[in-house]
Amino acid sequence: FNPNTLVTMPDGQLRSFECFRIPSIKVDPVRDILLAFAEARPKGCPDHVKPSEATDPTQDVIAVVVRRSRSKVADLVKKMREQRLHPSSVVPVEWESEIEAIVAEPGHTLGNPSPMVDAQSGRVALQFSRDNLEAWYVYELADDGVRNAVDAAAEDTTKSDTAGMVHSRRWSAPRNLSASIWKQLGLNT
């Protein structure tokens, strides 16, 4: 991710972000690609946008973004072996030109992306925080672009649960996990 990079927002608009923090890279074994997740920050790298301090709620958005590689993971590993590179060596990766915002909410910080990839299906579940106070998640919808019955049921049960968040059409509606986590810990919310 480079500074002042354009990101496609869930509403289809392009926005410029100056800083990308909290990176996380995962391998999708089914599609044999890398997935790079990060927080996209529009005004440098301050750590948090508090709703009460947002000077322009439509612009003060810290979003969770993803970028997919065009390079196949198997090809990258092969290149590393051929060149006898150490696993920590930098290997050039060809990325799709588009960076996609998965979730965003004006005046709030959505961050700390923690992706998990199902080894059988390649589908991604992504946990993230809202304002460093709440735990949320989304998951990647079926790759064929059609919402299956599980996707549709999840969308129906989470419509009232999404606060003011907008999300990419490639991902489920955001779901708040905070109450269930606190309950499992035996704590009050």
Side-chain angles (χ1 to χ4, degrees), residues 1-5 7 16-22 38-47 61-63 65:
F1 299 108
N2 295 317
N4 297 313
T5 300
V7 174
S16 177
F17 286 87
E18 291 180 7
C19 179
F20 295 88
R21 290 189 54 192
I22 321 294
E39 293 178 8
R41 298 169 180 231
K43 297 179 179 176
C45 292
D47 196 41
V61 174
I62 295 180
V65 299

Side-chain angles (χ1 to χ4, degrees):
F1 299 108
N2 295 317
N4 297 313
T5 300
L6 291 177
V7 174
T8 302
M9 299 302 288
D11 62 5
Q13 300 293 316
L14 290 176
R15 298 260 324 263
S16 177
F17 286 87
E18 291 180 7
C19 179
F20 295 88
R21 290 189 54 192
I22 321 294
S24 181
I25 304 253
K26 288 290 180 185
V27 172
D28 176 339
V30 174
R31 292 176 277 192
D32 191 33
I33 59 171
L34 292 176
L35 300 164
F37 298 85
E39 293 178 8
R41 298 169 180 231
K43 297 179 179 176
C45 292
D47 196 41
H48 190 49
V49 172
K50 294 179 182 161
S52 61
E53 296 174 4
T55 55
D56 180 354
T58 62
Q59 296 299 314
D60 292 338
V61 174
I62 295 180
V64 176
V65 299
V66 65
R67 194 171 199 184
R68 293 167 174 81
S69 71
R70 284 195 301 242
S71 302
K72 298 294 184 191
V73 174
D75 294 340
L76 295 172
V77 170
K78 181 180 174 186
K79 186 184 293 185
M80 288 180 73
R81 287 187 179 142
E82 287 171 354
Q83 297 176 10
R84 298 179 191 263
L85 297 174
H86 188 271
S88 64
S89 300
V90 175
V91 177
V93 175
E94 242 185 89
W95 296 99
E96 288 183 357
S97 59
E98 189 173 304
I99 298 174
E100 171 192 1
I102 299 171
V103 287
E105 183 178 8
H108 292 274
T109 298
L110 303 184
N112 301 310
S114 181
M116 299 168 284
V117 179
D118 178 66
Q120 300 298 315
S121 68
R123 288 181 73 180
V124 180
L126 177 70
Q127 293 176 324
F128 60 96
S129 68
R130 178 178 185 253
D131 296 329
N132 295 327
L133 299 171
E134 300 171 348
W136 289 72
Y137 86 98
V138 292
Y139 62 90
E140 193 174 29
L141 297 174
D143 207 21
D144 58 11
V146 177
R147 285 178 162 82
N148 63 31
V150 173
D151 295 337
E155 290 283 305
D156 288 342
T157 62
T158 59
K159 283 191 187 324
S160 63
D161 199 20
T162 60
M165 289 182 211
V166 291
H167 62 93
S168 165
R169 297 193 66 195
R170 294 173 72 166
W171 295 82
S172 69
R175 186 155 188 196
N176 191 335
L177 298 171
S178 303
S180 64
I181 292 171
W182 289 119
K183 184 178 178 182
Q184 288 180 11
L185 295 173
L187 302 170
N188 294 327
T189 54

